[in-house]
Amino acid sequence: MIDYLEKNGRVFYFVDGDPILGRGSFRANHPGQLAAPHGLSVLDASRLPAFAPDETVRNALDAGVLTVVNRSRPGWERMLETPKPGKKRVNLLALGDVGGTLLTGLKLLGGDVIESIGICDLSEQAVARWEFEMGQVSLPWDYGAFPEVEAVDTEHLFDCDVLVFVASKGIPPVGSGVRDVRMAQFESNAAIVRHYARMAREKQFRGLWAAVSDPVDPLAKVAYLESNRDENGIWDAMGLLPEQVQGYGLGVMNARAAYYAKQDARFASFLTEGRAFGPHGTGLWIANSIERYDDALSSELTELTVTANLKMRELGFKPYVAPALSSGALSLLLTLRGEWHCGSVFLDGVFLGCKNRLTPAGVETELLAHIPDALFAHIEDAAARLKEII
């Protein structure tokens, strides 16, 4: 069996792995990832095994055009497709507080990568309102600078390159006393995700499913798994590829950590050396620094970050503006531009938040030279917590 295939200026390197929980495909940035492609070690060069590929594969790796493909997954041939170039059509589902704010950010900042934006909601009145409002947002005499916003019905919801899933139900009200607001929404929101994941399957959706609804990371996995089951619930790999789904919740956690780092000099190293790992909520870990990691400082900064949403609720407001912009609009635009951002990608059988970017050769996760043992243990704990949920 061949180990690699050259096609359209790219090299595809074939590996084996779990057909469901193994990674589908990704851009490699270290030869050790070819020998250990599916686990958390892909984030840490010091934990990867030694491996010496042949000259063609090595040259492709150095040139950034090497894509690792899990051939154990049925339908792996789809992973060889060339990404569609040019600006993207983005459709956004649900126009509540988060959806409306996210839409505003995409409209104002996305003209370089977004062709147009479709909006869909159960409320026709909400759709009409936002289409009307966004239609009146423009620069004088440069009326095509921003992407047009138009109504789209559910029948055409998946006629796009990116589906931004913001639909949600049952958000605990301010003053409810619910501590883990995100997980309180899991069951009700999972039912909504299952419905639309089946629609994505029926429509043979080939774009990016951007999961924004809480809890982001488990719901991203629900979308992936449910889209790949037939009407009897049997897995058949006919739905979304794992790399077609990304969770957008880590951006605001990273931004919240930066906010506190600006307030307290003890955390200042985060602004230049820090990282955020894990889910949008319990299990998140903020590293004060990779080079000068301090577990106690990181623990304190993590606690401040995880509970920041509760601080806003104590003020009497729902914490949706920063998530809609930092996790939503800004992170999505970085994704479309192929730039580094914070988001959850499929790794070790879960959608785990880390620094990553979307390249023509696939999703690339940041490779650090060495992750301190204590920090790596927290990342492993985050993955284990997510596995317990789904």
Side-chain angles (χ1 to χ4, degrees):
M1 187 176 294
I2 61 171
D3 289 329
Y4 66 88
L5 170 70
E6 298 180 71
K7 180 181 178 182
N8 298 329
R10 296 168 61 189
V11 175
F12 298 88
Y13 186 89
F14 299 106
V15 299
D16 296 314
D18 190 291
I20 300 175
L21 298 180
R23 301 176 79 183
S25 67
F26 64 94
R27 173 181 166 174
N29 51 23
H30 188 285
Q33 293 173 341
L34 310 185
H38 303 292
L40 299 176
S41 62
V42 299
L43 302 173
D44 182 355
S46 70
R47 299 174 194 274
L48 287 169
F51 184 74
D54 72 11
E55 184 178 4
T56 298
V57 174
R58 180 76 227 196
N59 289 342
L61 182 69
D62 293 340
V65 295
L66 182 65
T67 303
V68 175
V69 175
N70 179 5
R71 62 184 164 196
S72 299
R73 191 186 193 283
W76 61 263
E77 294 86 356
R78 283 173 49 198
M79 304 175 202
L80 309 184
E81 296 174 0
T82 301
K84 174 185 172 182
K87 293 185 179 183
K88 308 302 181 187
R89 164 70 174 200
V90 176
N91 282 352
L92 193 154
L93 177 63
L95 295 165
D97 292 335
V98 174
T101 306
L102 196 158
L103 170 63
T104 304
L106 294 181
K107 167 82 176 186
L108 292 175
L109 302 173
D112 62 320
V113 287
I114 297 177
E115 179 182 38
S116 61
I117 305 172
I119 54 175
C120 182
D121 193 279
L122 292 177
S123 169
E124 294 182 2
Q125 188 177 19
V127 173
R129 176 235 174 157
W130 281 104
E131 187 277 334
F132 194 53
E133 292 270 31
M134 291 294 102
Q136 299 167 50
V137 176
S138 67
L139 293 172
W141 311 293
D142 189 5
Y143 303 116
F146 302 144
E148 294 295 328
V149 175
E150 59 189 26
V152 62
D153 57 27
T154 54
E155 179 62 26
H156 299 92
L157 183 61
F158 290 96
D159 295 343
C160 62
D161 302 297
V162 181
L163 174 74
V164 186
F165 193 93
V166 199
S168 185
K169 180 182 180 181
I171 300 175
V174 173
S176 65
V178 175
R179 290 289 296 175
D180 196 337
V181 177
R182 303 174 186 98
M183 286 309 301
Q185 300 171 252
F186 179 56
E187 289 302 327
S188 56
N189 285 353
I192 302 173
V193 171
R194 291 187 187 100
H195 171 74
Y196 286 98
R198 291 171 186 141
M199 287 181 60
R201 170 193 175 90
E202 294 168 4
K203 297 292 184 178
Q204 298 184 337
F205 181 55
R206 293 292 184 264
L208 172 67
W209 177 298
V212 180
S213 303
D214 276 329
V216 171
D217 315 88
L219 290 181
K221 190 171 179 180
V222 170
Y224 164 57
L225 293 177
E226 199 62 37
S227 72
N228 283 286
R229 294 185 175 122
D230 65 16
E231 61 274 10
N232 298 313
I234 298 173
W235 176 272
D236 62 7
M238 296 295 289
L240 299 168
L241 298 171
E243 58 271 23
Q244 275 183 264
V245 181
Q246 185 158 164
Y248 288 86
L250 192 63
V252 74
M253 307 309 261
N254 187 78
R256 284 170 174 163
Y259 170 82
Y260 286 113
K262 291 176 182 178
Q263 309 300 313
D264 189 333
R266 294 179 305 129
F267 304 132
S269 61
F270 176 82
L271 299 172
T272 54
E273 303 169 9
R275 293 292 188 278
F277 293 100
H280 175 59
T282 303
L284 171 83
W285 194 259
I286 302 295
N288 74 300
S289 168
I290 297 298
E291 293 80 5
R292 297 174 292 164
Y293 180 72
D294 185 309
D295 202 59
L297 273 179
S298 296
S299 178
E300 188 176 348
L301 185 54
T302 297
E303 178 65 16
L304 289 169
T305 301
V306 171
T307 59
N309 65 320
L310 301 179
K311 297 291 186 184
M312 182 60 71
R313 285 176 168 265
E314 289 173 4
L315 293 175
F317 299 95
K318 292 181 182 178
Y320 67 85
V321 176
L325 296 175
S326 291
S327 285
L330 296 175
S331 294
L332 279 163
L333 292 175
L334 289 172
T335 302
L336 296 180
R337 292 171 184 144
E339 298 179 18
W340 293 105
H341 64 280
C342 296
S344 298
V345 298
F346 199 62
L347 187 61
D348 197 33
V350 295
F351 283 87
L352 185 78
C354 62
K355 182 178 177 180
N356 71 88
R357 63 179 175 178
L358 185 60
T359 78
V363 173
E364 178 183 9
T365 52
E366 180 189 32
L367 179 68
L368 294 167
H370 175 66
I371 298 177
D373 290 345
L375 173 55
F376 197 77
H378 289 300
I379 298 172
E380 291 179 315
D381 179 65
R385 285 171 179 260
L386 288 167
K387 290 175 184 177
E388 290 175 357
I389 299 170
I390 180 171

